[in-house]
Amino acid sequence: MYITAASHISAQQPMCEEWLSDPKQYSAREYVRAVDPDFKEWIAPMAARRMSPIIKRAIATSKDALRKGGIEVPDAVISGTGLGCVENTEKFLDAMVRSGEQFLQPTHFIQSTHNTVSSQIALLLKCHGYNNTYVHRGVSFESALLDAYLLFKLGKIDSALVGGHDELTPDYHKMLQKVDFWRDNAFASEGSTSFLLTKQNGGNALCEIKSVEILHNPCDIASYCEKYNVDAVMSGVSGDKQSDSLYDAIIAKYSNQSTSFYTFKDVCGEYFTASAFGLYAATCKMSEREHQTMLFVNHYKGEDYSLILLQRC
């Protein structure tokens, strides 16, 4: 399975790779909204007025990835999201309370479901193929990626549009703060990242995904990584000391092998599908031909680990 193209909207400069050389830095426990581009290039202004930020971002990154990859309609659209369309959900619930459950607008309800993102993308692209959404908290994107990986292995598809999309409203941010979701030097954010995946390398692939694994409560994650012989590691170190300490054993394992180490949550922030941005950052490093192989490793609350092996084309 090859990553042919990728696009992102995040706390960094969107729809480009220029931020890699000089990323924006944010303060600890700060709440950072994504930096949105001008959506007119991808979405008609009249249509954009009825869309929430997460849907506009997902459509823009999807269209940008397809344009870069030279494919108009993929065989499958698969998304991962931890929160879904939070803004539309809040609008619908707020209207329900204010109007006494009467005279409600159906648009906010229709666009509040988690699978709205994949559905809207498919409708705009006129893609009538496989369409699925995964809502598995911190491994939502990895679950979508694993689904695509299996479909490629089974020979059911030749291309797939896979993305990780989340938005964070001020009200929901306050709720998560109360349960101490962000600690120490980590900061809260949101983002949308889309990948065009293909079965074959058409000569323009950025890198190859050799394997995708999701582990639940592994006994010894460092020992499990012994089968991966890589020269670079991209980890989900975020600035949260308790969370970051869970990567120590993995980093120690590769520290004596002249391995390069990279992080991504210190530039994109912490959110449920931040791993999609992390894989995008890893892909950028691989496309620069700095490394032959790279292991992407991330965990959610120390319970679910994702391991993705990338190889240079």
Side-chain angles (χ1 to χ4, degrees):
M1 182 169 71
Y2 295 88
I3 298 179
T4 300
S7 184
H8 82 101
I9 293 176
S10 66
Q12 299 297 324
Q13 187 177 355
M15 319 294 273
C16 69
E17 285 77 51
E18 281 77 4
W19 61 270
L20 281 167
S21 58
D22 186 23
K24 294 182 180 179
Q25 301 297 322
Y26 296 99
S27 303
R29 302 177 71 89
E30 188 177 355
Y31 170 37
V32 181
R33 299 303 300 263
V35 181
D36 288 325
D38 186 352
F39 290 110
K40 293 179 182 178
E41 184 177 349
W42 297 276
I43 310 170
M46 289 299 293
R49 288 177 58 189
R50 298 188 296 272
M51 296 179 182
S52 64
I54 187 175
I55 297 176
K56 289 189 287 187
R57 293 165 186 162
I59 291 173
T61 56
S62 296
K63 284 189 172 183
D64 190 46
L66 290 172
R67 183 178 63 180
K68 291 177 180 177
I71 293 179
E72 293 185 3
V73 182
D75 294 335
V77 177
I78 311 173
S79 298
T81 179
L83 296 176
C85 302
V86 178
E87 184 171 301
N88 278 327
T89 302
E90 288 182 352
K91 287 181 179 179
F92 177 75
L93 294 175
D94 182 64
M96 182 184 293
V97 173
R98 292 178 181 275
S99 64
E101 303 185 17
Q102 296 181 8
F103 311 113
L104 298 173
Q105 295 182 2
T107 303
H108 291 154
F109 174 75
I110 294 169
Q111 295 187 353
S112 67
T113 57
H114 286 77
N115 64 337
T116 298
V117 176
S118 286
S119 301
Q120 287 286 340
I121 294 171
L123 285 170
L124 284 175
L125 297 178
K126 294 181 172 57
C127 176
H128 305 293
Y130 184 84
N131 191 295
N132 208 354
T133 299
Y134 287 88
V135 188
H136 293 171
R137 298 196 297 175
V139 290
S140 298
F141 168 72
E142 290 88 332
S143 298
L145 189 66
L146 181 59
D147 188 0
Y149 184 80
L150 294 174
L151 289 173
F152 279 115
K153 286 291 185 180
L154 293 171
K156 293 183 179 289
I157 59 173
D158 292 321
S159 63
L161 184 65
V162 179
H165 316 285
D166 270 306
E167 64 180 350
L168 186 62
T169 64
D171 288 338
Y172 207 83
H173 173 250
K174 292 177 183 177
M175 293 173 62
L176 290 177
Q177 267 191 320
K178 291 180 179 179
V179 297
D180 207 24
F181 193 83
W182 297 276
R183 295 171 295 197
D184 300 324
N185 293 321
F187 69 92
S189 194
E190 58 187 357
S192 179
T193 309
S194 297
F195 298 88
L196 174 60
L197 307 178
T198 55
K199 186 176 182 179
Q200 304 293 335
N201 181 5
N204 59 340
L206 302 176
C207 64
E208 182 181 3
I209 297 179
K210 298 295 292 184
S211 68
V212 181
E213 295 187 83
I214 301 175
L215 308 175
H216 180 66
N217 284 330
C219 296
D220 188 351
I221 186 65
S223 297
Y224 193 88
C225 292
E226 288 182 356
K227 63 180 180 179
Y228 296 112
N229 184 19
V230 298
D231 54 14
V233 175
M234 176 72 75
S235 69
V237 171
S238 64
D240 180 340
K241 295 178 182 178
Q242 181 178 338
S243 174
D244 294 349
S245 64
L246 299 175
Y247 295 105
D248 290 346
I250 300 174
I251 294 174
K253 177 196 176 302
Y254 290 104
S255 60
N256 297 324
Q257 303 178 20
S258 300
T259 304
S260 299
F261 296 95
Y262 302 99
T263 59
F264 61 92
K265 289 183 180 177
D266 53 334
V267 294
C268 77
E270 179 71 88
Y271 55 99
F272 287 100
T273 52
S275 53
F277 180 89
L279 182 62
Y280 160 79
T283 300
C284 291
K285 288 294 182 183
M286 294 295 291
S287 64
E288 292 173 357
R289 308 188 72 80
E290 293 184 10
H291 307 288
Q292 184 66 36
T293 55
M294 179 181 290
L295 178 64
F296 174 88
V297 55
N298 185 52
H299 77 79
Y300 176 71
K301 301 298 184 183
E303 297 177 356
D304 298 305
Y305 284 78
S306 55
L307 301 171
I308 303 172
L309 180 62
L310 302 177
Q311 181 172 294
R312 192 173 71 191
C313 295

